[in-house]
Amino acid sequence: MEPMEPVIGLEIHAQLNTRTKLFCSCATDFGAQPNTNICEICTGQPGALPRMNKRALELAAKAGLALGSHVNQVSLFSRKNYFYPDLPNGFQTSQLDPPICQGGELAITTASGAQKIVHLNRIHLEDDAGKCIHDEKRGISLIDLNRAGTPLIEIVTEPELSGSFEAVGFLKKLHSLLVRLGVTKGRMEEGEFRCDVNISLKPVGSAVLGVRGEIKNLNSFKFVGQAIDYEIQRQTALYERGQKVLQETLHFDSAKGQTRSLRSKEEAHDYRYFPQPDLPPVQVSDELLERLKGELPDPPEKILDRLVSLGLRPENGRLLLERTDAVEYFDRALGFYNEPVKVFSVMEEFFLPACHKENIGPFESLFGPEKLASLAKLMADGILGRRKVQELFSDFFTKGLDPQKELAGHAQIKDDGELMGIIKEVVSSHPKESEKYKKGEKKILSFLVGLVMKQSQGRAEPKKASELLKDYLTGKA
Ligand code: ADP
Ligand code: MG
Ligand code: ZN
């Protein structure tokens, strides 16, 4: 068999951060008593007329602007017809042509560390369905329509991702961006950010895509990764046996770690899209577009200028900009230790590679910015050398240990005799400074304490060291 490679395209549903639903004023609260946030519009009563939620429109356009999409100032709602008990209208109100946003892109870091642009096909507005709850004990199904009519955007990528690493990296970066923009709250366990994964294999280098499976409704990054790896294996095995991959809709069973077929293409829906006659075209005015552009976070060039003004080299600044949330993490670390170059260098050498290896964002790691700051300071003070950090870092990182505390707890010098030995060494190797102290230049003490700390590899207790040092220099000890 010729070598094959996976191709992945994602359809992401993000719940827009609105108080009310897309076409009525019912609340979007999660976890309310079933069927309490409903009205004649979101339950599809005959004659009820939907009215567009302005804020949902703004958030969708804002997402598009932040992702470099073209925002269509006029777009249309269509009815996407299908029958399902939790879809009271008998259709989903969605956008086919034109959607609110077209095109766009997001850069990700590949497994090898390179930058890769992933293109977006479109972003459109649509409403969510209700929920069926199957009560197997009682042998009945219940329907909760609280979620029906909740505003969503669907973001559709081109089939350009090459495996679970890239797909998960893409989703994490997108999630972080949309949450930071306030477009979605992004609570995945509540279904506010979920995705369908389309995946196929093709001969390496071929321009023709293979037949795809579509794994529906994944709501955790971990499951996305597992589902993709499983599906690549499954499809590879089929090709190896000379069998065909069927175009199917799949469900990922997270308990088993396997995908299984929900329906084949033969049973696939024909949605019979047609324009939704109850809603006027969606309009984004020039004023709104300008205002939204003004609300976007600083563009990368501006952030880069700021990083350079802090003393970073441009290529270092770009490295932070490339990685998900790295600039935010860096800024937070500076809040604990305001030495940009030193903080950056610890991020570059130890922290970011560890995040990359795990394919997690900085804030997902247990090693928070305050810990990184403390590590950078210990290194800058010469208390921890690079070699030592190389040895310890993976432990710090995976367990989320505070380096300062670790050092203090580890092997703190309990024995005054040992500490005094170090103090004597420091004093005898720095006669000039010691002399100055004796002559009354008290400020120099902290310099000498620093040397004791360094000499003891951080194992000395600074207060104790300072007292003993004073005693020794003034002849009391
Ligand atoms: P549908 O709406 O029927 O699911 P689309 O053509 O809109 O189909 O594609 C949906 C998603 O599937 C997009 O993200 C696209 O990139 C991806 N996709 C389409 N064809 C393939 C394929 N052969 N392999 C992998 N992904 C694909
Ligand atoms: Mg699809
Ligand atoms: Zn309603």
Side-chain angles (χ1 to χ4, degrees):
M1 190 183 75
E2 48 189 331
M4 310 279 277
E5 62 187 359
V7 177
I8 295 164
L10 302 172
E11 298 164 271
I12 298 104
H13 288 98
Q15 178 177 329
L16 295 171
N17 183 9
T18 61
R19 275 189 312 106
T20 58
K21 293 185 181 180
L22 188 52
F23 301 118
C24 63
S25 52
C26 293
T28 52
D29 297 348
F30 180 83
Q33 279 291 343
N35 298 312
T36 52
N37 293 329
I38 58 173
C39 71
E40 63 280 11
I41 295 171
C42 56
T43 56
Q45 305 302 310
L49 276 181
R51 275 183 53 205
M52 172 74 189
N53 180 330
K54 273 224 182 85
R55 180 161 158 85
L57 160 78
E58 292 187 17
L59 293 175
K62 195 169 185 178
L65 289 174
L67 289 161
S69 307
H70 170 73
V71 177
N72 286 316
Q73 289 189 259
V74 178
S75 61
L76 296 174
F77 277 113
S78 292
R79 293 184 177 188
K80 183 180 182 183
N81 297 282
Y82 60 102
F83 178 79
Y84 205 74
D86 62 17
L87 191 70
N89 276 306
F91 57 83
Q92 181 183 27
T93 304
S94 183
Q95 297 192 295
L96 184 62
D97 192 28
I100 185 159
C101 306
Q102 277 165 308
E105 60 181 49
L106 185 66
I108 57 165
T109 307
T110 65
S112 67
Q115 284 301 103
K116 170 172 173 174
I117 303 283
V118 178
H119 295 92
L120 306 182
N121 178 287
R122 56 193 273 134
I123 302 175
H124 63 252
L125 278 159
E126 60 186 29
D127 62 356
D128 208 346
K131 224 193 285 182
C132 282
I133 301 148
H134 304 292
D135 186 336
E136 286 179 18
K137 260 194 223 141
R138 289 198 283 168
I140 55 171
S141 287
L142 301 157
I143 296 171
D144 177 6
L145 293 179
N146 280 348
R147 204 181 60 182
T150 297
L152 306 175
I153 43 173
E154 177 172 338
I155 300 169
V156 184
T157 78
E158 295 297 344
E160 294 179 345
L161 296 151
S162 74
S164 56
F165 187 94
E166 291 183 12
V168 172
F170 176 90
L171 287 170
K172 287 188 173 175
K173 195 158 189 185
L174 180 67
H175 180 265
S176 154
L177 177 70
L178 295 181
V179 170
R180 228 176 318 127
L181 284 170
V183 167
T184 179
K185 290 217 170 107
R187 291 170 296 206
M188 296 177 79
E189 60 297 343
E190 294 180 10
E192 291 182 344
F193 188 88
R194 52 193 202 255
C195 92
D196 302 340
V197 176
N198 296 270
I199 173 164
S200 62
L201 299 183
K202 68 174 178 65
V204 173
S206 162
V208 184
L209 296 183
V211 176
R212 70 178 146 130
E214 178 172 359
I215 314 164
K216 282 289 185 189
N217 249 325
L218 294 159
N219 70 346
S220 99
F221 297 127
K222 192 170 124 206
F223 294 162
V224 168
Q226 290 174 347
I228 289 173
D229 291 340
Y230 177 83
E231 190 54 22
I232 291 174
Q233 252 182 28
R234 188 187 71 89
Q235 292 187 14
T236 305
L238 286 173
Y239 283 118
E240 275 169 354
R241 279 184 255 128
Q243 291 170 321
K244 282 204 175 100
V245 169
L246 300 175
Q247 183 163 341
E248 285 180 310
T249 302
L250 304 158
H251 166 77
F252 179 66
D253 182 334
S254 57
K256 292 201 181 113
Q258 296 177 350
T259 58
R260 74 178 150 76
S261 176
L262 283 180
R263 54 181 179 268
S264 70
K265 199 192 174 186
E266 279 67 44
E267 302 161 51
H269 294 298
D270 170 8
Y271 295 117
R272 293 167 294 125
Y273 275 101
F274 67 87
Q276 157 65 301
D278 294 343
L279 284 160
V282 180
Q283 303 215 23
V284 181
S285 66
D286 293 340
E287 294 75 29
L288 176 59
L289 215 49
E290 282 316 303
R291 169 159 77 71
L292 292 175
K293 280 182 191 162
E295 287 172 17
L296 291 181
D298 285 345
E301 313 81 66
K302 206 169 157 196
I303 300 175
L304 186 58
D305 287 346
R306 178 173 68 82
L307 294 172
V308 168
S309 77
L310 291 175
L312 299 200
R313 288 206 297 265
E315 63 270 29
N316 296 344
R318 276 191 284 273
L319 179 80
L320 292 181
L321 279 161
E322 279 169 6
R323 302 298 175 88
T324 308
D325 292 346
V327 174
E328 292 72 19
Y329 184 95
F330 173 75
D331 286 334
R332 292 269 291 276
L334 292 189
F336 295 97
Y337 180 52
N338 196 11
E339 288 288 347
V341 174
K342 288 167 183 161
V343 165
F344 173 79
S345 101
V346 176
M347 283 184 74
E348 182 189 34
E349 184 169 5
F350 300 105
F351 181 71
L352 291 175
C355 290
H356 184 64
K357 201 166 142 234
E358 301 284 321
N359 205 11
I360 60 175
F363 293 110
E364 282 177 274
S365 100
L366 296 173
F367 197 71
E370 71 290 354
K371 291 170 185 160
L372 186 120
S374 124
L375 179 58
K377 183 164 189 324
L378 288 169
M379 290 183 76
D381 291 347
I383 290 169
L384 269 183
R386 273 192 59 234
R387 289 257 301 280
K388 195 81 190 151
V389 177
Q390 272 164 348
E391 218 173 88
L392 298 172
F393 188 76
S394 109
D395 218 32
F396 288 169
F397 183 81
T398 48
K399 296 188 191 145
L401 303 178
D402 184 327
Q404 179 79 55
K405 280 198 196 128
E406 279 315 293
L407 280 188
H410 245 205
Q412 195 163 48
I413 301 178
K414 293 269 172 358
D415 175 11
D416 282 4
E418 189 188 348
L419 189 52
M420 195 46 99
I422 296 172
I423 286 173
K424 284 180 184 163
E425 249 175 70
V426 165
V427 169
S428 72
S429 60
H430 292 80
K432 258 198 266 163
E433 287 81 0
S434 308
E435 222 26 62
K436 280 187 188 164
Y437 179 82
K438 287 180 193 163
K439 289 195 179 131
E441 201 180 311
K442 302 291 178 210
K443 273 193 303 189
I444 202 114
L445 188 71
S446 64
F447 168 77
L448 293 168
V449 172
L451 292 174
V452 172
M453 294 306 294
K454 187 169 173 176
Q455 186 81 3
S456 72
Q457 295 218 318
R459 289 161 54 242
E461 209 246 303
K463 237 177 94 191
K464 181 101 202 170
S466 151
E467 274 163 22
L468 282 182
L469 193 58
K470 258 195 263 176
D471 290 350
Y472 180 64
L473 287 169
T474 54
K476 280 191 211 151

